[in-house]
Amino acid sequence: DSVAYVSEDQAAFHGVEGVVVPNPVRRMVDISRNSPPGMNVAGIVGTIQTRKRQHVSIRKALEDGRSKVLLFGDFENAYFKSEIEPLLSEKVVHMGLFDPESRMDMYNMFDCLYMFSSEESASLALGECRLLGKEIVKSEEVKDYRMPEDEEIVESWMGMFSDTSPVMGDHRVL
């Protein structure tokens, strides 16, 4: 009966009325286990695909003098072969896909997140890195977003499901 979005930017992009209920990012990382290497290592997190422009992130990280650039994620074959493979070296390494349960191991491998997507409305990696206190270098197209407490998110979902009206109209939970 209604569309749920993770951010206001995502809702605006689609132009269809709906409810904004952000992802519950706070429980996804364990701040007590945060132990970045402190070696000026850049991390690039997410599916490696054209719209995420990881090749731009790699170049920017190298221009900024990062000691190493680690890419994490699965990939689109054509984009990976044409744009990423030529940049791989001892200094630029594709680490592969990390199991979500191992996210802290991944985050502890780098000091700074690079993100130069052509569009990004509510990146989990952005929110998780922000919670961990990592430096974030991003393009203007990567939108920052508010991260409410988990209880507020649960209340938002409960409110959406308890609404008995057939049409929710322009109801915005968050």
Side-chain angles (χ1 to χ4, degrees):
D1 294 334
S2 182
V3 176
Y5 298 105
V6 295
S7 70
E8 290 289 341
D9 286 318
Q10 186 184 47
F13 174 82
H14 290 285
V16 174
E17 288 300 326
V19 180
V20 176
V21 183
N23 287 317
V25 176
R26 295 181 186 280
R27 292 188 185 209
M28 299 177 94
V29 292
D30 183 353
I31 296 170
S32 71
R33 290 187 49 221
N34 186 33
S35 180
M39 297 175 62
N40 199 28
V41 176
I44 301 170
V45 179
T47 302
I48 300 169
Q49 57 188 208
T50 305
R51 76 175 184 84
K52 296 207 176 192
R53 302 184 327 176
Q54 283 92 345
H55 68 287
V56 175
S57 295
I58 292 168
R59 288 190 181 116
K60 180 69 174 139
L62 292 172
E63 285 171 12
D64 289 350
R66 299 298 171 178
S67 64
K68 196 163 208 158
V69 180
L70 305 177
L71 288 93
F72 300 91
D74 200 1
F75 56 86
E76 287 179 349
N77 282 327
Y79 174 70
F80 191 86
K81 283 206 163 297
S82 68
E83 300 292 337
I84 302 302
E85 271 187 5
L87 300 173
L88 296 178
S89 67
E90 284 185 24
K91 201 169 181 174
V92 178
V93 180
H94 179 234
M95 303 299 291
L97 183 61
F98 261 64
D99 182 308
E101 299 300 317
S102 302
R103 69 175 17 97
M104 286 309 301
D105 295 332
M106 177 188 69
Y107 286 132
N108 285 335
M109 295 174 79
F110 65 90
D111 303 295
C112 178
L113 177 71
Y114 275 72
M115 188 173 283
F116 281 81
S117 299
S118 60
E119 58 184 63
E120 196 77 51
S121 66
S123 164
L124 287 176
L126 177 72
E128 291 168 346
C129 285
R130 194 165 45 153
L131 287 172
L132 293 171
K134 291 192 182 293
E135 178 184 352
I136 297 168
V137 180
K138 65 182 191 62
S139 64
E140 289 182 21
E141 292 85 4
V142 176
K143 304 298 182 196
D144 212 344
Y145 57 96
R146 187 173 82 82
M147 291 188 304
E149 296 295 328
D150 290 345
E151 294 77 21
E152 190 178 346
I153 294 169
V154 169
E155 287 175 19
S156 297
W157 278 112
M158 296 297 288
M160 186 172 88
F161 288 124
S162 66
D163 186 346
T164 56
S165 65
V167 178
M168 296 175 72
D170 68 352
H171 176 64
R172 299 274 178 178
V173 176
L174 292 175

